[in-house]
Amino acid sequence: MPWTREDVARRAADELQDGFYVNLGIGIPTMVANFIGEDKDVTLQSENGMLGMGPFPIEGEEDADLINASKQTISELKRTSYFSSADSFAMIRGGHIDVSILGAMEVSENGDLANWMIPGKMVKGMGGAMDLVAGVKKVVITMDHNAKSGAPKLLKKCSLPLTGVGVVDMVVTNLGVFRIDEQGMTLLELAPDVTVDEIKERTEANFRVADDLERR
Amino acid sequence: MKKVYESAAKALDGLLFDGMTIMAGGFGLCGIPENLIAAIRDAGVRNLTVISNNAGVDDFGLGLLLQTRQIRKMISSYVGENKLFEAQFLSGQLELEFNPQGTLAERIRAAGAGIPAFYTRTGVGTVIAKGKELKEFDGETCVMETALKADLAIVLAWKGDKKGNLVYRKTARNFNPMMAAAGKVTVAEVENLVEAGELDADCIHTPGVFVQRIFEGKLEKRIEHTTTRKKEG
């Protein structure tokens, strides 16, 4: 059985270590915050200028001056600090953020990422995605293994305009977990009842299977 | 020299002209100089190039200047929240230049700091780097980005004193400090205008040298997406 969106978020949360500073993108990445264990001290960064992002505010306590990068009202924590967009991207570009978890339209076997633009459709913009993938120490992608049409999203080469070249370190899909490094793409883990053959069928990218392939 | 003005319209008097470049602080609807935007609409200047991370929503923020078709070009990182923007862009009435958000912030910072250009890894190998100078540093390819100036910067602060010192509040700070420094002229709209000496000098975010005009504005402070949780227990 493939993983649900929650399962994917839970698996991505395993990549967060105690003491990490982390930036979470929109969609499944946002859900990762719900699965960070109590034993881990993880600080969330919001690129609009906040370190130490808290949960949504209690009803009636929302503050127009306190939003996340998706423009949703949020709350602050005791550890919170605020800063300008220039300082925020100094953190991001300067390599001070440990992990960024983002969504993707396409990922190539060498770690190229496309997640901001489909030619011919209205382009909303890249926001902070290009800076995040260029600067954050580790980039983890969470996404469905295939597009709604069934087309593979893990490709030999991306067809859409890129967000970054060779920037992705790990991909968690509903079918399994992949590592991308100098050796190329490696399948590390399988979702329950998913077979290597099934993944091969649904993937265009070349990948090798880890010797210690794990079934979750 | 007197920096204090009575209203947004008075603070903008003599500064606006057709074809000018204006940078406007804010992230989404958070930290936007609402009354200055409305006053620019009322002044009717046209053919504007506007530098701002986003483009407001249809009926608020910079959306007001789209309604009246005063904007010819936007320089932004994300414009997803605005249907009017989409319509004008797709019909060719509106020009658009996307910048990665961090590159946008740094280009503005550079302008205020007197740095004409800088190199960054952001965008290398993407359409953003097309036609721009590339250079290798420590084995890594970087792209040159240039400073982004404006004829006028309009910013919002929480508190400001009569000498132009500004303090921002929470995530409403965003692009405002860099823009305050990057405008040929900077007009600050503040929620609370106080006497010089009332702000803690150690906690001022934007020193008064960057601000030429200041006024107190009454704000609506609209929230784009209200998200809450129930009180536990």
Side-chain angles (χ1 to χ4, degrees):
Chain A
M1 208 177 61
W3 282 324
T4 62
R5 286 163 62 85
E6 284 75 16
D7 294 333
V8 170
R10 188 178 291 115
R11 176 59 190 85
D14 287 348
E15 296 306 308
L16 308 183
Q17 296 173 24
D18 187 39
F20 268 19
Y21 292 91
V22 176
N23 185 294
L24 301 176
I26 296 168
I28 298 176
T30 305
M31 293 161 55
V32 171
N34 303 328
F35 298 106
I36 303 171
E38 297 262 326
D39 53 326
K40 286 190 228 169
D41 184 38
V42 169
T43 305
L44 299 180
Q45 200 252 17
S46 189
E47 66 264 29
N48 54 318
M50 180 183 198
L51 196 59
M53 182 167 58
F56 292 151
I58 289 166
E59 270 176 348
E61 291 181 6
E62 56 273 18
D63 183 336
D65 290 339
L66 184 42
I67 62 168
N68 63 18
S70 303
K71 286 109 183 171
Q72 298 168 314
T73 48
I74 43 158
S75 64
E76 66 182 26
L77 304 170
K78 278 183 179 161
R79 71 179 63 189
T80 299
S81 59
Y82 298 108
F83 34 84
S84 72
S85 300
D87 287 340
S88 177
F89 283 93
M91 283 174 204
I92 289 167
R93 209 191 298 103
H96 307 283
I97 302 296
D98 296 291
V99 176
S100 176
I101 303 179
L102 297 167
M105 298 170 187
E106 296 176 348
V107 176
S108 75
E109 59 193 41
N110 67 320
D112 294 354
L113 169 67
N115 75 349
W116 76 282
M117 177 183 181
I118 300 173
K121 287 203 179 171
M122 179 58 198
V123 183
K124 293 182 170 184
M126 71 290 283
M130 285 191 182
D131 308 278
L132 282 161
V133 298
V136 170
K137 286 180 201 155
K138 180 172 182 174
V139 174
V140 177
I141 297 298
T142 56
M143 66 177 196
D144 287 333
H145 198 86
N146 297 87
K148 285 201 181 77
S149 65
K153 295 173 73 171
L154 287 171
L155 304 171
K156 290 190 168 74
K157 202 171 178 301
C158 293
S159 63
L160 295 170
L162 297 180
T163 309
V165 175
V167 293
V168 176
D169 300 293
M170 179 173 262
V171 182
V172 183
T173 79
N174 49 327
L175 300 186
V177 180
F178 297 81
R179 179 182 64 219
I180 302 177
D181 57 18
E182 296 74 27
Q183 273 79 55
M185 193 179 273
T186 307
L187 176 63
L188 301 179
E189 295 168 29
L190 290 173
D193 303 327
V194 173
T195 64
V196 173
D197 283 342
E198 184 184 355
I199 290 200
K200 276 190 176 152
E201 211 168 282
R202 294 172 61 173
T203 306
E204 185 203 272
N206 294 304
F207 62 90
R208 65 173 208 96
V209 180
D211 299 334
D212 53 350
L213 179 68
E214 218 180 305
R215 183 173 290 284
R216 285 268 170 157
Chain B
M1 210 187 94
K2 190 175 113 8
K3 292 188 178 184
V4 178
Y5 288 75
E6 274 168 50
S7 66
K10 288 198 168 129
L12 290 172
D13 187 38
L15 299 180
L16 301 176
F17 56 92
D18 289 347
M20 74 187 300
T21 298
I22 299 175
M23 49 178 67
F27 186 99
L29 301 181
C30 181
I32 60 171
E34 298 176 15
N35 291 293
L36 285 167
I37 293 169
I40 290 169
R41 177 199 56 196
D42 296 344
V45 278
R46 309 191 66 80
N47 231 358
L48 302 173
T49 295
V50 176
I51 302 165
S52 186
N53 189 56
N54 313 99
V57 293
D58 286 345
D59 63 340
F60 197 62
L62 291 172
L64 296 178
L65 304 184
L66 290 169
Q67 279 182 358
T68 49
R69 298 179 193 279
Q70 284 167 272
I71 302 178
R72 179 184 61 82
K73 181 180 180 181
M74 283 292 308
I75 301 177
S76 305
S77 88
Y78 191 85
V79 295
E81 281 81 9
N82 199 315
K83 292 255 179 317
L84 203 58
F85 189 105
E86 186 172 336
Q88 289 184 19
F89 175 72
L90 291 175
S91 67
Q93 296 167 311
L94 184 65
E95 225 184 295
L96 172 60
E97 178 190 318
F98 277 127
N99 282 230
Q101 197 173 126
T103 295
L104 182 66
E106 193 62 14
R107 290 182 72 193
I108 297 164
R109 197 193 72 81
I115 295 170
F118 60 92
Y119 291 92
T120 174
R121 284 194 305 273
T122 302
V124 170
T126 76
V127 293
I128 291 306
K130 237 184 208 161
K132 293 176 185 166
E133 188 190 315
L134 298 176
K135 195 166 176 171
E136 211 168 284
F137 295 91
D138 298 329
E140 209 153 1
T141 305
C142 294
V143 57
M144 189 178 81
E145 296 284 357
T146 54
L148 203 49
K149 295 178 207 167
D151 299 304
L152 170 70
I154 55 172
V155 301
L156 180 80
W158 178 41
K159 287 180 179 175
D161 71 19
K162 292 183 174 175
K163 295 295 175 190
N165 295 307
L166 303 179
V167 176
Y168 308 96
R169 185 171 176 273
K170 302 186 188 286
T171 56
R173 190 180 321 184
N174 54 64
F175 283 81
N176 285 299
M178 294 84 72
M179 289 187 174
K184 228 179 261 173
V185 180
T186 294
V187 179
E189 173 167 351
V190 297
E191 279 185 72
N192 304 282
L193 183 66
V194 301
E195 294 296 331
E198 283 187 44
L199 298 176
D200 180 348
D202 266 329
C203 295
I204 285 166
H205 299 135
T206 293
V209 68
F210 297 122
V211 176
Q212 282 69 48
R213 300 184 181 189
I214 191 166
F215 74 99
E216 189 175 87
K218 201 168 160 42
L219 301 170
E220 177 187 332
K221 294 184 77 166
R222 196 183 290 188
I223 292 175
E224 205 161 325
H225 303 295
T226 299
T227 44
T228 56
R229 67 193 149 102
K230 293 253 185 273
K231 201 167 184 167
E232 285 153 39

